[in-house]
């Protein structure tokens, strides 16, 4: 038991900067309105938790290309660099959030610096960064007047002009819990929980962070069961309509590399993911934790529509199918062993499954509707994400399939992460304990 606690304390310190030099440098950069981006090409341990403090606190970005190879990684690096220098950026920014009586901003999550409790300071601010704000309800709210929020950002444009950007938001209020649960946004909740947990590992053991997440979500669902749901058997799991996906997304966060990594995930990788997720927007956060998985044989070649995504579980995969999986950072093309020869020929330009080169990072440009449509879908996915996703070809039963299966998040993983079904049973048990 003492060994376990020692390991937990070591993991906790690995997320912390090992020297104050970079923290002080970050403060100086913020004071001068200097935003720092890091492009890293590591072949060994870098201590990213320490180096990353500067881009993290100045509102910058980190790009990481482990074991960089020109032949396969050149396109990714050049696309990331091109997008980085072309995106819209503001400098020397200060953000303040104001509210009407009854609620107040109590916490801020993201890549920025704060010297006091109200002003969010950003040496640089771009279109790819998100700041999450937690509000506390600490006084009476009126259904008639609602709740008012204002977010004001003072910044300098690239042209040197000092500007003020203001967003005003009026929200409805309710007095019934049922109305609250009926209008909640699970996507936003999950984004907040992920960012809150990823900050929590800086000062708490990962097990404590995981347990706190489970307890918080169990309390939310138990409150609904007690106050809003129709009477039913205690053995029946009752979830709000808007929160039916809360357990599956929560399980994905709990199994993520930051909170429950295996030996193949390096400390630098965990620090990189932790900082990256901290400033992701809601849509990016959700696809990062629950990837999009598309069956490509179902693609309509005469339409721009995409096939319906399937659930991320191995039991959903067919040997006769080709699937595209993406989560904003990774892009996999999984090829089943029994895929029709015509599809292999149209997609890869070879006549059989065994001839497919799994080392290629680009689909060959072939003059046929299948090739054109598949490459267009991949280009569309890449255009939707702030970072260029390198394509990995995974053949069924190939050595790369183990990495691909890591992203089938509804299944039990090798690091002890529960399957979705098992976790749902665990959550039901937690809810019943709270109610009793």
């Amino acid at each position: 038991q003492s060994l376990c606690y020692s390991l937990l304390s070591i993991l906790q310190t690995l997320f912390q900067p090992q020297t104050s030099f970079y923290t002080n440098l970050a403060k100086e950069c913020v004071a001068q309105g200097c935003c720092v981006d890091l492009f890293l090409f590591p072949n060994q341990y870098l201590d990213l938790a320490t180096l990353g403090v500067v881009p993290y606190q100045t509102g910058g970005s980190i790009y990481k290309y482990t074991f960089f190879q020109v032949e396969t990684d050149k396109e990714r690096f050049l696309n990331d660099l091109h997008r980085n220098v072309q995106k819209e950026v503001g400098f020397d920014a200060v953000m303040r959030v104001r509210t009407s009586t009854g609620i107040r901003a109590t916490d801020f999550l993201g890549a920025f610096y704060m010297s006091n409790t109200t002003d969010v300071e950003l040496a640089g601010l771009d279109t790819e960064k998100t700041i999450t704000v937690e509000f506390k309800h600490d006084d009476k709210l009126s259904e008639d007047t609602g709740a008012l929020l204002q977010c004001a950002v003072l910044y300098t444009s690239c042209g040197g002009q000092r500007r003020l950007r203001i967003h005003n938001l009026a929200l409805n209020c309710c007095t019934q819990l049922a109305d609250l649960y009926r209008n909640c946004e699970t996507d936003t909740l999950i984004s907040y929980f992920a960012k809150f947990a990823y900050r929590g590992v800086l000062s708490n053991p990962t097990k404590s962070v995981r347990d706190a997440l489970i307890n918080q979500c169990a309390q939310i669902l138990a409150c609904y069961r007690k106050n809003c749901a129709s009477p039913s058997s205690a053995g029946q799991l009752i979830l709000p309509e808007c929160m039916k996906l809360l357990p599956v997304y929560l399980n994905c966060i709990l199994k993520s590399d930051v909170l429950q990594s295996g030996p193949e995930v390096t400390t630098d990788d965990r620090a990189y993911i932790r900082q990256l997720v901290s400033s992701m927007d809601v849509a990016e956060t959700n696809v990062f934790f629950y990837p999009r998985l598309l069956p490509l044989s179902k693609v309509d070649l005469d339409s721009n529509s995409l096939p319906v995504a399937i659930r991320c579980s191995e039991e959903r995969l067919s040997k006769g199918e080709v699937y595209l999986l993406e989560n904003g950072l990774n892009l996999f093309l999984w090829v089943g062993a029994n895929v029709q020869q015509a599809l292999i020929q149209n997609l890869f330009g070879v006549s059989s499954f065994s001839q497919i080169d799994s080392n290629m990072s680009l689909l060959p440009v072939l003059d046929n509707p299948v090739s054109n449509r598949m490459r267009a879908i991949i280009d569309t996915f890449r255009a939707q994400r702030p970072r260029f996703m390198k394509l990995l070809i995974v053949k069924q039963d190939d050595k790369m399939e183990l990495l691909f299966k890591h992203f089938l998040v509804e299944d039990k993983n090798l690091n002890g992460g529960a399957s979705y079904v098992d976790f749902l049973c665990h959550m039901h048990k937690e809810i019943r304990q709270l109610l009793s």
Side-chain angles (χ1 to χ4, degrees), residues 42 46 54 72 188 218 278 281:
L46 278 178
V54 181
T72 55
T188 305
S278 296
D281 67 25

Side-chain angles (χ1 to χ4, degrees), residues 69-83:
Q69 294 182 323
V70 173
E71 297 79 14
T72 55
D73 297 309
K74 174 182 66 176
E75 185 183 21
R76 181 179 162 216
F77 166 62
L78 290 177
N79 274 276
D80 284 344
L81 181 63
H82 184 264
R83 182 159 182 154

Side-chain angles (χ1 to χ4, degrees), residues 21 26 43 49 80 113 128 179 204 229 236 261 300 309 320 331 341 353-354 376 387 405 426:
F21 173 81
N43 292 327
D80 284 344
Y113 176 76
E128 295 168 3
D179 292 333
N204 300 283
Q236 187 177 356
S261 67
D300 184 353
L331 186 64
Q341 183 182 346
F353 174 81
S354 61
R387 290 159 190 265
K405 287 181 178 179
H426 178 66

Side-chain angles (χ1 to χ4, degrees), residues 293-307:
L293 181 61
L294 301 181
L296 293 187
S297 70
K298 304 288 194 299
V299 170
D300 184 353
L301 300 179
D302 300 320
S303 167
N304 288 327
S305 62
L306 293 172

